Amino acid sequence: PMKNDKSIIGDVAAVCLLGTEAFCGFRIYHYYAEVDEQTEAFEEIAEMVEQAPTDETVPDDAPVSEGEDVLAKYQELYLQNEDMVGWISIAGTTINYPVMQSRNNPNFYLKHNFEKEYSDLGTPYVQENCDIAESGKMFGALEDYKSKSFYEEHKNIQFDTLTEQAEYEIVAVFKTVAYSSEGFRYYDFVDAENEEDFNSYVGKCKELALYDTGVTAEYGDRLITLSTCEYSAQNGRLVVVAKMVG
């Protein structure tokens, strides 16, 4: 009887394991299906921008919040979702996305798409306490920047606000961990109160840098800080800091 009991327990365990595997398989399939779906959705959004009128700004009577002169190519998208604050792209990569900000609902776009529907993949966004005219931090698929050879081919980032097109030159790429006393709290830097704070931030970014870009920043430069998850450490982050040029 004891032997039979053990074999029954074993059978039950095997059935549970198979059930788990089947569930995991579905989850993986579901995840990749969602990746494909979201990729297609972002491509359609990018096409809307590419096919938009080339006028510098929208007509004066356009129904845009706060009377801002939104660049024509972003007008239609902005009117679809007024959480949109800009657009980010890096030539030669798949990064070509709208950038969102939800001041009253922090991190909303970490798990939501442009249409505000739930999505594991999320949408690039600026943290709620940033003034987009001053500086920004956002999610980005930046893993390739761990390689200096990739950086050499992709040194600049295009980040437009709704009203201004701008190019940024990469200053430093580094790895750190979030939510730990051992990590660099780069996300606390929003706008330097003085030159000392600015130099301290840039200095720490350069100190942690995976390689030397030969580029630095001076007080008065406008910075953009992009970060994404990096899996060599728990709560790891890959961070790219760039300065506005021109």
Side-chain angles (χ1 to χ4, degrees):
M2 289 294 290
K3 185 177 178 184
N4 286 341
D5 284 348
K6 284 183 180 174
S7 64
I8 290 169
I9 290 169
D11 288 344
V12 170
V15 169
C16 289
L17 183 60
L18 286 171
T20 305
E21 286 171 347
F23 178 71
C24 288
F26 168 74
R27 286 297 301 161
I28 291 167
Y29 167 75
H30 178 70
Y31 174 78
Y32 282 117
E34 187 173 355
V35 168
D36 290 342
E37 189 179 314
Q38 281 303 301
T39 300
E40 192 174 322
F42 278 125
E43 285 172 355
E44 287 175 8
I45 290 171
E47 277 178 26
M48 287 175 63
V49 170
E50 287 162 16
Q51 293 168 6
T54 54
D55 302 335
E56 265 193 25
T57 58
V58 299
D60 292 339
D61 59 355
V64 175
S65 294
E66 301 174 9
E68 289 180 318
D69 294 326
V70 176
L71 293 167
K73 62 181 178 176
Y74 302 129
Q75 178 197 8
E76 189 176 345
L77 284 176
Y78 177 69
L79 294 177
Q80 283 184 22
N81 185 342
E82 293 188 8
D83 286 345
M84 180 176 165
V85 292
W87 190 276
I88 187 163
S89 61
I90 301 176
T93 76
T94 58
I95 296 173
N96 192 31
Y97 302 127
V99 176
M100 317 304 285
Q101 186 176 42
S102 48
R103 288 189 181 276
N104 299 322
N105 193 353
N107 301 319
F108 177 79
Y109 286 98
L110 182 68
K111 292 291 184 182
H112 288 83
N113 61 19
F114 184 82
E115 287 76 27
K116 299 187 179 183
E117 297 163 340
Y118 181 85
S119 165
D120 279 332
L121 299 173
T123 310
Y125 68 97
V126 178
Q127 68 186 55
E128 72 283 353
N129 61 339
C130 284
D131 182 343
I132 197 67
E134 299 294 333
S135 66
K137 303 180 196 303
M138 64 208 59
F139 163 83
L142 306 170
E143 283 277 303
D144 289 337
Y145 276 108
K146 286 193 277 192
S147 159
K148 187 176 183 181
S149 60
F150 180 85
Y151 157 75
E152 294 286 355
E153 298 294 322
H154 307 87
K155 292 184 176 182
N156 287 13
I157 295 165
Q158 183 77 24
F159 174 57
D160 300 343
T161 65
L162 293 174
T163 59
E164 176 187 43
Q165 299 186 76
E167 192 168 13
Y168 290 75
E169 184 179 22
I170 292 173
V171 173
V173 177
F174 62 89
K175 294 195 297 183
T176 188
V177 290
Y179 320 122
S180 166
S181 57
E182 295 173 13
F184 173 36
R185 298 175 66 90
Y186 64 91
Y187 38 81
D188 286 343
F189 180 89
V190 174
D191 193 18
E193 291 186 12
N194 53 53
E195 187 170 356
E196 186 181 354
D197 285 353
F198 184 90
N199 290 342
S200 173
Y201 176 73
V202 173
K204 186 66 176 176
C205 293
K206 297 291 281 181
E207 178 190 325
L208 293 173
L210 299 174
Y211 43 81
D212 184 14
T213 61
V215 178
T216 191
E218 297 176 354
Y219 188 58
D221 284 340
R222 187 190 294 182
L223 299 181
I224 185 173
T225 301
L226 294 80
S227 69
T228 190
C229 293
E230 197 282 319
Y231 298 102
S232 66
Q234 187 175 6
N235 292 322
R237 297 289 185 273
L238 184 74
V239 184
V240 176
V241 177
K243 70 173 181 181
M244 189 174 176
V245 293

